[in-house]
Amino acid sequence: RFGGDFLWRQLYNVLLAGNRMLYIAMFDEVDEGTAIFKIAPTQAQVPREAPFVSLDADGIRLPSDWYLRLVGEVSTYLHDGIVCPEEIPISP
């Protein structure tokens, strides 16, 4: 979590190790724990029927598509052959 820093560090380390291909599942892989999709940005937007975690659980305000944007950014680096920066290069 940590506002996406944890995911970004994982992606950065994978690319730093020389990997040039990543598989990140979307939407249809929820049961396998590999899905990335939009998330409620605040606890006020979480359904009350179950105990869900919102993006502001870390105390950081993020848009609902933040994790999709992060992996999209890494995809650009992979496709364009650009070196991935160590810190997240985009803002929420």
Side-chain angles (χ1 to χ4, degrees):
R1 302 275 329 224
F2 306 110
D5 286 339
F6 180 71
L7 174 61
W8 189 263
R9 174 52 69 182
Q10 289 178 314
L11 295 169
Y12 172 78
N13 286 338
V14 165
L15 297 181
L16 185 66
N19 293 287
R20 294 294 163 237
M21 182 174 27
L22 299 173
Y23 178 75
I24 299 173
M26 292 174 56
F27 307 118
D28 62 341
E29 303 296 336
V30 175
D31 60 329
E32 296 176 11
T34 59
I36 293 181
F37 50 91
K38 291 184 178 182
I39 304 170
T42 66
Q43 196 60 40
Q45 295 169 308
V46 170
R48 300 287 176 223
E49 295 80 25
F52 291 99
V53 176
S54 60
L55 284 174
D56 65 351
D58 297 342
I60 302 169
R61 293 183 56 86
L62 298 169
S64 63
D65 66 344
W66 182 238
Y67 289 98
L68 290 168
R69 290 173 55 191
L70 291 179
V71 296
E73 190 71 16
V74 166
S75 176
T76 300
Y77 296 126
L78 282 171
H79 290 291
D80 296 345
I82 301 170
V83 175
C84 182
E86 190 171 349
E87 301 295 322
I88 297 174
I90 57 175
S91 299

